[in-house]
Amino acid sequence: MTASNDGARLPLPDLDTTLPNGLRVVLCSAPVVPLVEVRLTVPYATTGPGEVALRQLLAGILLQGTAHRDADAFDNALATHGATLVAGADARRFTLTGHTLADSLPAVLALLAETVLGPRFTEDVVAPERTRLARRIELASHQPAAVAQRALLRRRYGDEAAARLEPAPRLAAACTPEDLAELHARHLGAAGAVLVLVGDLRPDDALAAVTDTFGAWRAGAADDVPRPPSPFVGGPPLWVDRPGAVQSMIRLATPALPRTDPGYPALHLAQLVFGGSFASRLVAHLREEKGYAYQLGSGMESVPGASTLMVEADTAAEHTAAALGVIRGELARMSTEPPSREEVDAARSYAIGSIATAMSSPASLASGLSNLLHIGVGADWLHGWGPLLDGVPYEAVAEAARRFFRPGDFTGVVLADESAVATLRRTGSAELDF
Amino acid sequence: MTSLSVGCGLFGLPLDTAGPDLLTLFAVHGSGVGDDGANADGGRVTDALDAVLTTLAENEVDPRLLRATTARWASGALRELGDPSTRAQLLGSREMLFGEAELTERLPELVRDQVTGEQVSRAAARLRASHRAVVRFVPRTTATATAGATATAAAQGKAVA
């Protein structure tokens, strides 16, 4: 490839170190504007069905004050420094995301530590948050995309394992301040946590501020980390009824290589040729030639220790069967007609250019780094990604195309009105021919 | 009240029109019983806005609140500038609208360091006296449709000058 791609090399972090309590600190100087982006990730093991809701409730009260000040006082203190913090939780981690004016970094780190180490567990804080969360989960669960996502998780992992990845509102509703204090003690420890700071900072000063504020954070359990999901097998897509839907949602998935695997870059390029970019085969065929779908494509979904190759398309109900046929045909063509040199080179340029664009602000660089570190790649990954892609031989892409795109290795769901899938249904079953 | 936001500009950032900026208040509130009830609800929102404007206009602005507000606003504006494509867009639009691209880069500092409580009070007084338009979307309810579908499918716009 051309030397111009060197310009797309993303910065290496200036500092990547781990405090004695196990908190990893990754600092990146990017003085574009006088701000610092803050990302704190605290991973944990997945537990019982629906219990994500409890972690989300804990995340919800993290910014509602501390032992020392109530929610208003806490927010005013942040605002004085031009700072904003948002807390969230999913099946695998807590995330605290925010930014501050650069000269206030030490003060804002102190506020962040204050709430992470000692949130306010009182009924007046917990009760409204409980109601809010239960309502939010309830509302989200009716969105078609969320229904499809939930059905796909069940199709991939079975009911029991899928339920461990989803919040149950009734668990949130029954959670007491004591339960939350216990959860906090069990899961919010420094061991395995990662703090990423990107922006207008001097690495030594920032590290000193982090050590001052988070040095006393207790380590917690070192083995409280997410385990990779078990691999799943291919099978016919399952029809999920959505009576009266004028649009169908197709969601297909197959296990792929984790990001840390040496074969990942070749697979990624194959995926871009298939459906991961605007010029890809699937988009050209399904959207531009046939006009069956306006929202479609493929992508890699990564979690610690595993990746999944996803193919998605939203189609008009009457084109559902035809669209599935086109997707199947394009998957099979990845073996019979592997990506050409031209296709691979175009995908390479796209991959290198698009990640440079996607990481071009301190905020997106901070989020990108934080997500990559969470799934287990090194802090130099972004820096090395361009050269890594440049070095992938054409034959490796063809091999990945043959290995990972076999239609029979995919499973999935189709959220649609009954009439849209009538021609595909197997007798007496919700399984569809694919 | 389900949600409430207030800001300058049509699309979330100030100085996006050649004329005077709009202050936009966006509120989602519970439906009333029929039009009269809904009007009463909407009226309470605008009454509350006026009460806040009056307080701001007639009293000294709390310096700590002013500092917190301007600092957070400035850091939000700086964050926009951290993204190259947004920065280019803002520089371009302000050059076109005001012949002053550099305003984009000066604005966060100007707001953070130079806005005074008296200026805020004067602005609040003017807003109270200025023309305003209220646009309300009221979902039409029918016995058969679900509330959500009705709100999307049959929203009616009612403009009240």
Side-chain angles (χ1 to χ4, degrees):
Chain A
M1 290 297 292
T2 58
S4 65
N5 282 330
D6 287 352
R9 272 207 165 206
L10 289 154
L12 277 172
D14 296 281
L15 199 146
D16 178 2
T17 188
T18 303
L19 303 187
N21 59 8
L23 172 65
R24 183 174 177 186
V25 184
V26 177
L27 307 176
C28 199
S29 163
V32 183
V33 285
L35 294 179
V36 177
E37 294 289 336
V38 180
R39 305 287 182 275
L40 176 65
T41 305
V42 188
Y44 41 67
T46 47
T47 54
E51 286 187 11
V52 180
L54 305 181
R55 282 94 189 272
Q56 290 178 335
L57 186 58
L58 179 53
I61 69 149
L62 274 185
L63 301 169
Q64 309 269 344
T66 67
H68 305 295
R69 52 188 119 206
D70 67 14
D72 280 347
F74 187 76
D75 190 59
N76 285 340
L78 284 175
T80 305
H81 301 295
T84 300
L85 288 174
V86 178
D90 63 19
R92 298 176 178 88
R93 58 173 167 167
F94 288 110
T95 48
L96 284 126
T97 300
H99 61 272
T100 172
L101 290 166
D103 47 15
S104 293
L105 180 62
V108 169
L109 286 173
L111 286 165
L112 177 62
E114 191 177 306
T115 186
V116 169
L117 273 62
R120 201 175 177 90
F121 296 118
T122 52
E123 184 61 20
D124 64 314
V125 171
V126 176
E129 196 55 34
R130 224 165 17 213
T131 315
R132 247 196 310 269
L133 178 66
R135 194 186 309 141
R136 216 175 54 217
I137 297 172
E138 193 61 37
L139 272 177
S141 69
H142 295 298
Q143 303 292 325
V147 174
Q149 163 73 5
R150 204 168 58 231
L152 181 61
L153 278 178
R154 277 174 166 56
R155 190 70 176 150
R156 280 158 65 178
Y157 301 119
D159 286 354
E160 210 266 334
R164 293 173 189 275
L165 304 173
E166 297 166 345
R170 65 182 168 77
L171 290 185
C175 191
T176 65
E178 293 71 35
D179 296 335
L180 287 178
E182 207 249 326
L183 262 183
H184 175 262
R186 192 145 37 99
H187 296 301
L188 259 182
V194 182
L195 178 64
V196 174
L197 301 176
V198 177
D200 186 6
L201 54 82
R202 276 199 299 270
D204 290 346
D205 293 350
L207 179 63
V210 173
T211 309
D212 271 357
T213 47
F214 283 95
W217 191 8
R218 53 172 193 82
D223 60 350
D224 187 27
V225 290
R227 273 166 278 285
S230 42
F232 54 92
V233 294
L238 189 75
W239 165 57
V240 179
D241 193 10
R242 194 169 166 238
V246 292
Q247 181 181 311
S248 303
M249 303 181 101
I250 299 169
R251 300 288 183 269
L252 305 174
T254 190
L257 297 170
R259 279 228 195 199
T260 44
D261 191 286
Y264 184 87
L267 172 58
H268 183 65
L269 291 175
Q271 184 274 126
L272 288 176
V273 171
F274 172 75
S277 66
F278 201 72
S280 64
R281 292 177 174 189
L282 187 67
V283 176
H285 194 164
L286 204 56
R287 179 187 155 115
E288 280 155 36
E289 240 171 79
K290 301 281 191 188
Y292 287 161
Y294 47 91
Q295 161 70 37
L296 78 161
S298 66
M300 305 291 283
E301 177 196 89
S302 290
V303 297
S307 288
T308 304
L309 173 58
M310 316 279 292
V311 180
E312 303 187 352
D314 294 350
T315 73
E318 66 270 25
H319 297 315
T320 310
L324 267 173
V326 170
I327 293 172
R328 190 198 154 82
E330 286 298 343
L331 284 172
R333 187 155 79 93
M334 289 296 277
S335 293
T336 55
E337 201 184 308
S340 67
R341 287 178 166 242
E342 290 71 28
E343 284 178 310
V344 173
D345 285 339
R348 243 194 272 268
S349 295
Y350 174 81
I352 293 168
S354 64
I355 200 150
T357 312
M359 301 286 168
S360 59
S361 72
S364 54
L365 182 58
S367 295
L369 264 176
S370 176
N371 290 330
L372 286 165
L373 296 172
H374 174 65
I375 56 174
V377 304
D380 58 351
W381 194 87
L382 282 172
H383 188 67
W385 180 230
L388 203 60
L389 287 171
D390 269 345
V392 175
Y394 297 108
E395 182 41 43
V397 181
E399 178 53 33
R402 282 189 290 270
R403 190 174 148 205
F404 290 99
F405 292 80
R406 288 189 283 255
D409 289 346
F410 280 78
T411 188
V413 296
V414 178
L415 192 66
D417 182 74
E418 189 174 6
S419 61
V421 294
T423 57
L424 299 171
R425 280 186 69 187
R426 298 179 172 188
T427 321
S429 145
E431 292 188 336
L432 304 177
D433 279 327
F434 178 61
Chain B
M1 187 74 65
T2 310
S3 76
L4 178 68
S5 63
V6 188
C8 289
L10 280 170
F11 299 104
L13 276 180
L15 304 177
D16 60 359
T17 46
D21 253 12
L22 287 179
L23 179 90
T24 310
L25 177 144
F26 184 80
V28 180
H29 57 81
S31 59
V33 284
D35 269 2
D36 288 340
N39 272 328
D41 278 352
R44 280 201 290 277
V45 175
T46 46
D47 288 350
L49 172 68
D50 282 327
V52 172
L53 290 174
T54 303
T55 309
L56 283 172
E58 293 175 2
N59 300 282
E60 194 194 338
V61 176
D62 176 0
R64 280 172 49 208
L65 178 63
L66 180 66
R67 190 165 149 239
T69 307
T70 51
R72 197 170 253 174
W73 188 90
S75 88
L78 285 169
R79 203 158 188 249
E80 300 273 346
L81 295 182
D83 178 56
S85 60
T86 310
R87 188 179 207 144
Q89 219 173 344
L90 290 173
L91 286 168
S93 72
R94 284 169 187 159
E95 179 63 28
M96 276 177 59
L97 292 172
F98 313 113
E100 210 181 333
E102 62 276 18
L103 182 63
T104 296
E105 313 215 315
R106 283 174 48 224
L107 205 54
E109 204 184 313
L110 283 175
V111 170
R112 189 186 174 193
D113 297 341
Q114 300 199 18
V115 171
T116 65
E118 291 76 39
Q119 290 172 328
V120 174
S121 292
R122 277 206 300 279
R126 283 188 61 180
L127 280 169
R128 208 173 30 162
S130 69
H131 298 293
R132 87 173 42 150
V134 180
V135 178
R136 300 180 50 241
F137 285 86
V138 183
R140 183 197 298 153
T141 48
T142 67
T144 49
T146 64
T150 313
T152 322
Q156 313 172 324
K158 295 190 177 179
V160 184

